[in-house]
Amino acid sequence: GQNIDQPTEMTATEGAIVQINCTYQTSGFNGLFWYQQHAGEAPTFLSYNVLDGLEEKGRFSSFLSRSKGYSYLLLKELQMKDSASYLCAVKDSNYQLIWGAGTKLIIKP
Amino acid sequence: GAVVSQHPSRVICKSGTSVKIECRSLDFQATTMFWYRQFPKKSLMLMATSNEGSKATYEQGVEKDKFLINHASLTLSTLTVTSAHPEDSSFYICSATKGLAGSYEQYFGPGTRLTVT
């Protein structure tokens, strides 16, 4: 079957750096997405990786290794507003998005 | 831009009634729209994929006669929860892509919180 694994919950301190990992086993691969979702709101797009390597976008970076079936989302200079769930999703060979359960990130002052 | 709206944002209905949720792409034509539901502290669960002018493709386990989806135009898809029951209470989210399902980004609506009493 298809599977996406990410930690259920992480805690970090304001101003620090946190890395959220995601591993996947899917039938084919057509890209990996990271979305941010605040409680009670819809997800918002953060990043997209289809080739190996690091994509940097401001305080957020996303890394992909297709051979390892692995990605991470790196958040720098954490702010209280970064407290949210972070969803990893992979588009499989049928271009269907397979969603992880999400990682709840708690930021402490 | 790529803005998707949903209406209503919140709805409370009585058990046995039907509820219609609208999803609109405001500034682009959405060939493909997706309907998700999400339970508290759980990830998104895809219910169905909807292409304009054709029947929706439902995921396994989703009752198509209970969750009626209509994608009548390139900017509007509707989800009707028929004969709603308390277990249908959930957060329903739609998303849309600018092209075919292979297009890489989905734009999400703000979601609709359905409570069935």
Side-chain angles (χ1 to χ4, degrees):
Chain A
Q2 309 205 88
N3 196 46
I4 305 234
D5 288 313
Q6 48 181 133
T8 304
E9 187 174 296
M10 299 181 70
T11 303
T13 305
E14 190 178 14
I17 299 173
V18 70
Q19 177 175 311
I20 303 174
N21 295 325
C22 170
T23 58
Y24 62 89
Q25 298 98 37
T26 57
S27 56
F29 178 84
N30 280 297
L32 184 143
F33 301 79
W34 283 97
Y35 283 84
Q36 180 190 62
Q37 186 179 24
H38 286 99
E41 299 180 11
T44 55
F45 172 79
L46 288 179
S47 69
Y48 169 70
N49 294 71
V50 67
L51 299 176
D52 291 349
L54 187 69
E55 294 279 343
E56 296 185 77
K57 190 185 293 185
R59 293 189 299 115
F60 293 4
S61 303
S62 57
F63 171 83
L64 174 67
S65 169
R66 288 171 296 170
S67 62
K68 295 182 179 178
Y70 168 71
S71 172
Y72 67 72
L73 180 69
L74 190 71
L75 294 77
K76 302 177 184 177
E77 300 170 18
L78 287 170
Q79 302 175 9
M80 297 303 293
K81 67 179 182 179
D82 297 331
S83 292
S85 286
Y86 291 86
L87 306 174
C88 173
V90 172
K91 192 159 278 192
D92 67 11
S93 57
N94 293 320
Y95 293 95
Q96 178 167 330
L97 264 183
I98 311 300
W99 292 87
T103 298
K104 183 179 180 181
L105 178 63
I106 299 169
I107 310 296
K108 295 185 175 180
Chain B
V3 180
V4 176
S5 70
Q6 271 184 251
H7 178 80
S9 58
R10 289 178 179 272
V11 58
I12 300 172
C13 70
K14 292 186 177 180
S15 187
T17 61
S18 295
V19 175
K20 180 185 284 189
I21 302 170
E22 292 186 349
C23 177
R24 293 181 183 273
S25 56
L26 299 184
D27 52 2
F28 67 100
Q29 293 186 330
T31 308
T32 305
M33 286 185 168
F34 305 85
W35 286 97
Y36 294 87
R37 68 184 298 183
Q38 187 176 33
F39 293 102
K41 299 182 181 180
K42 299 293 184 182
S43 189
L44 299 168
M45 184 191 82
L46 179 65
M47 299 175 67
T49 301
S50 168
N51 292 299
E52 184 265 339
S54 62
K55 291 184 178 180
T57 301
Y58 289 82
E59 295 301 303
Q60 194 172 8
V62 178
E63 299 176 58
K64 60 182 180 182
D65 293 331
K66 181 168 182 62
F67 298 98
L68 300 178
I69 291 172
N70 184 280
H71 193 160
S73 76
L74 285 171
T75 59
L76 174 65
S77 177
T78 60
L79 167 67
T80 302
V81 183
T82 62
S83 187
H85 289 103
E87 57 264 32
D88 298 326
S89 298
S90 190
F91 192 48
Y92 291 87
I93 308 173
C94 74
S95 70
T97 59
K98 290 184 175 181
L100 298 176
S103 298
Y104 75 87
E105 185 172 346
Q106 291 186 20
Y107 301 93
F108 285 86
T112 297
R113 173 102 28 217
L114 170 63
T115 303
V116 184
T117 61

